[in-house]
Amino acid sequence: AAILIGASLAAARGEHSSAIEGFATAEMGFASGHMLHYARAARFRRGLLLGDTSIADCRQEWRSEGQRAPDKIARMLVP
C-alpha cells in the first residue's frame, strides 16, 4: 500500500516517471496478493498517465463484474 500512496503522491507532484513506475510495482504486488481491485486501480492510474488502452480495459473489466461507475471505483481505491 505504501508504494501505491507514493505513486499517487508522485503523480500529484507531476513526477510522472516515478508515478508510472510506482503504479506498475503496486499493480504487481496487489495482483500477487490476489487484491485484484487494487491491482486494477493501479493499472488504471498508470494508464491515465500513459494515455494508453489499459484504461478502457479496466473499465470493461469492472463493468463485466457489474460495476456501474468504474472511474469512481478507481478514484476511491487510488485517490
Side-chain angles (χ1 to χ4, degrees):
I3 293 170
L4 187 62
I5 293 167
S8 293
L9 291 172
R13 289 190 301 260
E15 299 168 2
H16 292 224
S17 295
S18 295
I20 290 166
E21 183 179 326
F23 287 133
T25 301
E27 178 187 357
M28 289 185 292
F30 285 125
S32 70
H34 304 285
M35 298 177 72
L36 302 182
H37 282 295
Y38 280 95
R40 191 177 299 147
R43 182 167 33 116
F44 184 91
R45 286 293 307 272
R46 189 176 77 244
L48 287 175
L49 293 172
L50 292 171
D52 66 14
T53 60
S54 64
I55 300 166
D57 295 340
C58 291
R59 285 179 179 137
Q60 181 57 40
E61 290 168 17
W62 269 314
R63 285 188 181 116
S64 72
E65 295 171 353
Q67 303 296 331
R68 292 187 223 183
D71 291 38
K72 288 181 180 180
I73 292 170
R75 285 193 307 271
M76 178 187 69
L77 295 174
V78 186

